[in-house]
Amino acid sequence: MGRLYFVRHGESEWNVLGRICGSTDIPLTDRGREMARETGRKIVEEGLKIDKIISSPLSRAYETATIIASFLGLEVKKDDRIKEQNFGVWEGKSPIDNPEFQTAKRVFCSSYGGGESMLKTAQRVYNLLDEIKEDKDNTYLLVAHNGIYRMVQSYFMDMTNEEFASQKMPNCSVKVYEI
């Protein structure tokens, strides 16, 4: 049985402001960069075996991945399939816990007025996870976003729509999945 590791990017400027980031390319804060360094050190200290790192192309995830990769001596491959979901009309809005947005996240076929539906996002993430499962020789680290974390969680475990919509992962924390 193999393993897959997932890390959510470090703190971004919009995380601090409580805004919905989605696919808008928002940079890390200095604290976010330090969080990435701490995660890289933690991975090394714990002796986690990682062969390949795949990152979202958005700068907050990619910079997090490259910082972690510097501790592991690995290169980072960008993959659009783990780019954060486009939340359409909700991009940049605050607060992130807006009840209307939380309700909208439970409508899986909605594209949020020009964005991307949960189902379309799941399709691209699941396709990548299917490929990773087939590679029995390598252990992967994915560095992406909270919305992508929800998709990965749903790939590995059953949950209700409400449980799915409420999934949250702290910035720069590490989650492991057995595959």
Side-chain angles (χ1 to χ4, degrees):
M1 183 176 295
R3 288 191 171 161
L4 168 71
Y5 295 96
F6 185 95
V7 170
R8 182 180 176 205
H9 62 79
E11 178 188 82
S12 74
E13 292 178 6
W14 279 10
N15 290 148
V16 173
L17 297 173
R19 291 187 179 175
I20 300 163
C21 292
S23 64
T24 305
D25 200 4
I26 302 302
L28 291 176
T29 62
D30 288 339
R31 181 171 182 261
R33 289 179 193 90
E34 181 54 36
M35 293 168 88
R37 286 188 285 277
E38 288 172 17
T39 301
R41 283 190 287 273
K42 178 181 172 185
I43 289 170
V44 169
E45 288 168 7
E46 293 182 8
L48 303 184
K49 177 194 176 297
I50 296 171
D51 301 304
K52 295 186 177 190
I53 301 175
I54 300 175
S55 173
S56 159
L58 296 176
S59 64
R60 60 190 183 270
Y62 185 69
E63 185 176 4
T64 299
T66 57
I67 292 169
I68 293 170
S70 72
F71 286 86
L72 303 173
L74 296 172
E75 293 183 18
V76 178
K77 178 184 172 195
K78 293 180 185 179
D79 195 313
D80 286 339
R81 291 176 290 182
I82 56 174
K83 180 178 181 179
E84 181 62 293
Q85 180 177 358
N86 182 327
F87 290 112
V89 298
W90 293 101
E91 297 266 328
K93 302 282 195 265
S94 64
I96 196 164
D97 60 354
N98 177 315
E100 290 178 40
F101 177 61
Q102 296 306 314
T103 299
K105 288 190 335 187
R106 292 174 177 83
V107 182
F108 291 177
C109 295
S110 172
S111 63
Y112 306 100
E116 180 182 27
S117 74
M118 292 283 182
L119 294 178
K120 287 181 181 177
T121 305
Q123 178 186 16
R124 62 182 165 84
V125 173
Y126 285 15
N127 288 344
L128 175 62
L129 294 173
D130 286 344
E131 287 177 20
I132 288 171
K133 269 178 70 172
E134 293 301 313
D135 183 357
K136 308 285 187 213
D137 298 326
N138 291 292
T139 300
Y140 288 81
L141 169 64
L142 302 182
V143 181
H145 312 274
N146 198 59
I148 302 306
Y149 165 70
R150 283 192 294 273
M151 300 301 168
V152 173
Q153 281 283 90
S154 72
Y155 183 88
F156 288 101
M157 63 187 293
D158 291 340
M159 62 184 80
T160 66
N161 290 358
E162 290 74 23
E163 289 169 331
F164 174 86
S166 67
Q167 292 288 310
K168 292 181 182 167
M169 181 177 198
N171 293 101
C172 269
S173 57
V174 179
K175 176 80 174 173
V176 62
Y177 299 93
E178 300 295 330
I179 53 174

